[in-house]
Amino acid sequence: MKKIFVPALVFIILSSAPATSQTKRRSAQKRPAASTSFAEKQQAEIRAGRQQIATQIKVLTEFLFLFGNISKGIETAEQVNRNREQTSVGMSAERIEQSKTKVRDSIKSVRVGLDQLESSFRLNPVLQSYYPNLAGVARLAQTAETQAAGNSFDQSGKSLIAAVNKLADALVALR
């Protein structure tokens, strides 16, 4: 009986070894789930990129809405001061300069936000392929900033509108 028991024990031990290796193969089959999570992470990065662009579009459009009224008010106040008219629209030269400074500072803040947006796309491996659609939007804001520094607020607004258009195009391209 011992002669049958020892070979049977060896057979049981050896038969359990392939079962262990089959278990390992099954765990190797779980790797596609890891690639799925990579795809999910990639899609999450793309969604975050879309959200960043959408946020900048919202900020810029809100700013442009306010910018139009403010720049028109500055223009009107300067005209009133030049003609030495007495109206409720008139502002002191000091107040006009303060308004211009605030507008210039606001445009600078917009430019900084657009610089950061461009950088985030340029430096993110997932979003780099979409960077060409976004490249130059900060340069448009820089142009607007320069134009505002030269008191060309109307041209500055047009440059910012071009930036919004470029952002909208980039948002469409981001899938």
Side-chain angles (χ1 to χ4, degrees):
M1 190 135 151
K2 286 184 181 180
K3 289 182 181 182
I4 296 175
F5 182 70
V6 172
L9 187 60
V10 170
F11 178 73
I12 292 173
I13 292 173
L14 291 176
S15 65
S16 67
T20 305
S21 67
Q22 286 178 352
T23 304
K24 289 181 182 177
R25 285 186 192 138
R26 286 183 187 155
S27 66
Q29 290 176 350
K30 291 181 183 178
R31 286 189 184 161
S35 67
T36 303
S37 72
F38 175 75
E40 288 172 358
K41 288 179 184 178
Q42 199 171 21
Q43 286 301 312
E45 287 286 332
I46 291 171
R47 277 192 302 276
R50 271 186 276 194
Q51 184 61 42
Q52 288 176 323
I53 292 173
T55 299
Q56 286 299 319
I57 290 172
K58 290 174 186 177
V59 166
L60 265 171
T61 55
E62 184 178 329
F63 174 75
L64 284 168
F65 174 75
L66 298 172
F67 177 77
N69 286 332
I70 292 169
S71 67
K72 188 66 174 170
I74 290 171
E75 183 181 312
T76 303
E78 285 180 326
Q79 185 177 17
V80 166
N81 286 354
R82 273 193 303 270
N83 295 337
R84 300 176 200 257
E85 297 173 16
Q86 293 291 27
T87 66
S88 62
V89 181
M91 284 192 266
S92 68
E94 181 181 300
R95 187 153 180 232
I96 291 172
E97 280 306 312
Q98 288 174 347
S99 294
K100 287 180 179 181
T101 301
K102 285 181 183 177
V103 168
R104 289 180 193 121
D105 290 344
S106 297
I107 293 172
K108 182 179 180 177
S109 295
V110 166
R111 180 193 49 80
V112 168
L114 293 175
D115 272 335
Q116 290 172 347
L117 178 67
E118 271 193 44
S119 293
S120 71
F121 272 69
R122 186 176 54 247
L123 300 175
N124 186 324
V126 174
L127 299 176
Q128 279 179 345
S129 61
Y130 300 104
Y131 174 71
N133 299 311
L134 196 60
V137 73
R139 188 175 37 240
L140 289 168
Q142 176 64 45
T143 300
E145 190 176 359
T146 302
Q147 291 165 333
N151 291 328
S152 297
F153 293 107
D154 190 46
Q155 289 301 315
S156 179
K158 289 177 183 178
S159 295
L160 291 175
I161 289 171
V164 171
N165 290 338
K166 188 160 187 75
L167 287 171
D169 292 342
L171 187 60
V172 169
L174 196 62
R175 297 175 187 196

